[in-house]
Amino acid sequence: MLDWLKNINKEYPEFWKSYSAKFDKKSSRYVILSTETTGLNPQKDVILSVGAFAIKDNAVHIGDNFESYLIQYKFLHDNGLTNEFMMESTIKKSSEPQAIQSFVEYIENAILVGHHIDFDVAIINEALERMGCGRLKNEALDVDVMHRKLNDISDKETSLDTLCELYNVPISDRNSAADDAYKTALLFLKLKSKLKIK
């Protein structure tokens, strides 16, 4: 049976139906997203943590944020990996379905922004597929692509830390999805202003 035909009568989870119904109008809210993952292959790797901050009216809204740590026991065990921070820390961890549902409920119809955002969206879509949902419907912007457009660079990718140095965005010693999301948020505001995006 054709995939599109199978999906016509598919019964999606309630949270997914609610999320899908929010796209009748364009959002003025941006959600800056970063994920920590076990690797760079969306089909084989999984998410370990997600961090996000919202931007509205050209300001980062610190109180409008999302952070979740996912425990991936089976994946880590099956692949002989250890992640002492994730396994041993006392930070509250969620199952993948809990975390992804909470994230989808958080983003609503916001425009997603990230550094190499296509990867973040792809790995979240893989998790959504495991949950019997569709793919994210949000528009997405990439700060690296914005930098290249601003400087007329065709194909050279630039790391997040290098972009932060180029645009005088402070870099902290901490390394987490939430820290990367915050740096990306500050970077996005500078690039948005330079590119005159409303």
Side-chain angles (χ1 to χ4, degrees):
M1 189 183 283
L2 296 172
D3 283 343
W4 67 268
L5 197 55
K6 281 193 298 191
N7 289 331
I8 287 176
N9 294 320
K10 185 170 180 176
E11 188 61 29
Y12 290 109
E14 283 305 316
F15 85 89
W16 187 255
K17 291 181 194 173
S18 176
Y19 161 77
S20 298
K22 295 185 186 298
F23 287 83
D24 55 344
K25 60 181 180 176
K26 189 171 168 71
S27 178
S28 60
R29 179 172 170 253
Y30 295 90
V31 168
I32 316 306
L33 162 67
S34 181
T35 60
E36 283 190 324
T37 64
T38 54
L40 297 174
N41 184 329
Q43 284 79 41
K44 293 182 180 176
D45 291 299
V46 290
I47 301 165
L48 295 174
S49 65
V50 179
F53 287 94
I55 288 180
K56 202 158 186 192
D57 301 323
N58 289 318
V60 180
H61 288 247
I62 299 296
D64 187 353
N65 69 77
F66 179 88
E67 187 171 21
S68 185
Y69 293 86
L70 288 67
I71 194 60
Q72 302 278 9
Y73 287 110
K74 185 177 185 307
F75 181 88
L76 293 170
H77 180 267
D78 289 353
N79 290 278
L81 298 173
T82 59
N83 186 326
E84 290 177 16
F85 172 72
M86 293 304 297
M87 303 292 275
E88 307 290 333
S89 77
T90 57
I91 292 174
K92 184 176 179 280
K93 301 165 199 75
S94 303
S95 69
E96 182 177 90
Q98 288 172 325
I100 297 301
Q101 177 176 337
S102 295
F103 176 72
V104 167
E105 290 169 343
Y106 169 73
I107 62 173
E108 298 182 327
N109 65 337
I111 299 162
L112 300 180
V113 180
H115 180 259
H116 301 159
I117 190 74
D118 287 350
F119 171 77
D120 295 308
V121 169
I123 202 162
I124 290 168
N125 282 338
E126 289 294 324
L128 285 166
E129 189 173 312
R130 290 190 285 275
M131 295 166 65
C133 299
R135 303 168 73 79
L136 289 177
K137 302 173 184 306
N138 306 69
E139 186 181 334
L141 296 172
D142 191 312
V143 291
D144 192 20
V145 171
M146 292 171 75
H147 161 71
R148 281 184 263 160
K149 183 175 181 179
L150 182 64
N151 294 284
D152 202 21
I153 302 167
S154 58
D155 58 357
K156 186 182 173 209
E157 292 189 350
T158 309
S159 73
L160 179 57
D161 282 352
T162 300
L163 287 174
C164 287
E165 286 173 20
L166 286 170
Y167 293 95
N168 297 313
V169 171
I171 302 171
S172 73
D173 292 335
R174 291 185 62 214
N175 188 17
S176 72
D179 286 318
D180 283 352
Y182 185 68
K183 285 189 290 195
T184 305
L186 298 178
L187 180 60
F188 172 66
L189 286 174
K190 292 197 173 194
L191 287 164
K192 184 172 174 283
S193 172
K194 287 177 183 294
L195 288 165
K196 297 179 171 50
I197 297 172
K198 291 187 178 180

